[in-house]
Amino acid sequence: MNIDKKIADDLVANDISFVTTVPCKQLAGVIEEIDTRDDIMHVPSNKEDEGMGLCAGAFMGGKRPAIIMQNTAIGVTINTLATLTQFYRLPLPMIISYRGELREPVACQVEMAVHTKALLAQLNIPTYHFHWQKDVEEFDNILKYTFMCNKPVAILTDANFWGGYGDQ
Amino acid sequence: MIRSEILKDIAPILRDQLVVCNIGIPSQELHAIDDQPTNFYMLGTMGLCSSIGLGLALAQPKTVISIDGDGSVLTNLGTLPTIGNNAPSNYILMIIDNGSYGSTGDQPTYTGKKTDLAGMARAAGCDTVIEVQDVDTGPALQAAIDSKKATVLVVKCDSGNAKMPVITLDPVVIKHRFMEAVKA
């Protein structure tokens, strides 16, 4: 299964037409795939809270948004998640590379990984963890759930899911 | 002029447009001067006014005016390259630059010293950047709307705030009526 293609297919099937990204090596393939889709407007952002602002505006303008980012950015987006996305009840699928998990080669990444689920739980953000490639089969349901409940929803995707980190 | 005097001046122009208004006293002032369903008031999240407005302008064809401040733009400077490289023709970022953090007690920002926001916007790739004095805001804003070009309008004015009540509208109500106005 090509998980990059499956993720992009599910985004399009769920009418998600605005995607913002801050890249991660693990996410390079899915970002490349999104750029091939005419149905998706891709606007890269410089920081993840900025991206969440873009998504809020896009949603109010009638487009379903999504953000693709690293888990390290949970540390810089808590205020935005609480006071914008949650306070105004805006739906936002967050496709997050879960750095610092199994098969991670960079020790510093583990320092945010150990806080990631705790921070998401503290924020009462529904959180799903993709560890095996077959877990992506749930993605379509998660997108439907997100736009049903008007909440930010986190999909953590670790190195094992992506088939390892580079040469590791 | 201070910001609230500018907002009173331009209220008749803003009334017909989609407006995303910055957190704190700017939103309180606009709400008190001329509350409209076409106004989206930020109740929190300093820095993201320009980003919300840009996302809105990219998603639909009506003109969008983000009313931002110098302090808030400085806290989200990454917004300027994103605007410079993506802003559609229906987007206007109006930065009311009073050289101070108005909502927190008028502490000075760097734009009152050596930092030039208009220059930064140009360097970030924004093609149409106009700097005006407070008294010229109305005609400059109307010209930006009429030009149908993505515009960054930097309005230089005095520091100071009008005493206005806190907005008690529920955020979901603000969002809902705004989205209805966007669709109308």
Side-chain angles (χ1 to χ4, degrees), chain B residues 67-139:
Chain B
I67 302 179
D68 217 335
D70 48 303
S72 289
V73 171
L74 288 174
T75 212
N76 180 24
L77 274 179
T79 192
L80 294 176
T82 308
I83 293 166
N85 288 279
N86 297 285
S89 58
N90 59 334
Y91 181 66
I92 297 170
L93 170 59
M94 184 172 76
I95 306 170
I96 299 189
D97 182 0
N98 60 9
S100 67
Y101 293 104
S103 296
T104 55
D106 293 327
Q107 298 89 348
T109 70
Y110 288 122
T111 66
K113 296 182 177 176
K114 291 167 68 177
T115 302
D116 169 15
L117 279 178
M120 294 177 86
R122 286 187 193 102
C126 300
D127 292 325
T128 305
V129 181
I130 297 162
E131 187 170 291
V132 294
Q133 279 299 317
D134 41 22
V135 291
D136 300 318
T137 309

Side-chain angles (χ1 to χ4, degrees), chain A residues 16-21 34-35 37-44 58 63-66, chain B residues 54-55 57-60 86 88:
Chain A
I16 289 166
S17 54
F18 185 93
V19 174
T20 190
T21 58
I34 280 165
D35 273 333
R37 304 301 178 105
D38 293 338
D39 296 329
I40 296 177
M41 180 188 288
H42 174 207
V43 181
K63 282 185 180 289
R64 284 183 161 196
Chain B
L54 177 60
L58 286 165
Q60 56 77 54
N86 297 285

Side-chain angles (χ1 to χ4, degrees), chain A residues 15-162:
Chain A
D15 198 26
I16 289 166
S17 54
F18 185 93
V19 174
T20 190
T21 58
V22 179
C24 169
K25 191 170 179 180
Q26 287 179 1
L27 301 168
V30 74
I31 293 171
E32 203 175 314
E33 182 65 33
I34 280 165
D35 273 333
T36 69
R37 304 301 178 105
D38 293 338
D39 296 329
I40 296 177
M41 180 188 288
H42 174 207
V43 181
S45 44
N46 296 301
K47 208 172 173 192
E48 295 79 358
D49 56 347
E50 180 204 356
M52 290 176 183
L54 293 172
C55 287
F59 177 74
M60 291 192 290
K63 282 185 180 289
R64 284 183 161 196
I67 187 167
I68 296 180
M69 57 186 256
Q70 265 195 37
N71 61 318
T72 43
I74 296 296
V76 295
T77 54
I78 286 178
N79 177 56
T80 301
L81 285 164
T83 65
L84 181 65
T85 317
Q86 291 183 324
F87 198 40
Y88 288 87
R89 290 187 54 76
L90 299 163
L92 183 63
M94 301 185 290
I95 302 150
I96 302 171
S97 67
Y98 195 4
R99 297 297 306 271
E101 258 290 337
L102 299 182
R103 301 177 73 178
E104 169 66 55
V106 180
C108 187
Q109 295 286 2
V110 180
E111 297 304 311
M112 269 310 287
V114 298
H115 298 297
T116 297
K117 284 185 176 175
L119 290 168
L120 291 166
Q122 177 64 39
L123 287 163
N124 293 330
I125 291 178
T127 299
Y128 300 88
H129 180 171
F130 289 0
H131 180 63
W132 304 107
Q133 290 214 343
K134 67 176 172 50
D135 295 338
V136 78
E137 289 167 18
E138 202 88 88
F139 189 58
D140 176 66
N141 278 333
I142 295 168
L143 294 176
K144 289 180 168 59
Y145 176 81
T146 304
F147 290 94
M148 174 275 294
C149 64
N150 288 335
K151 289 178 185 294
V153 172
I155 303 114
L156 300 171
T157 58
D158 66 24
N160 195 70
F161 172 75
W162 294 107

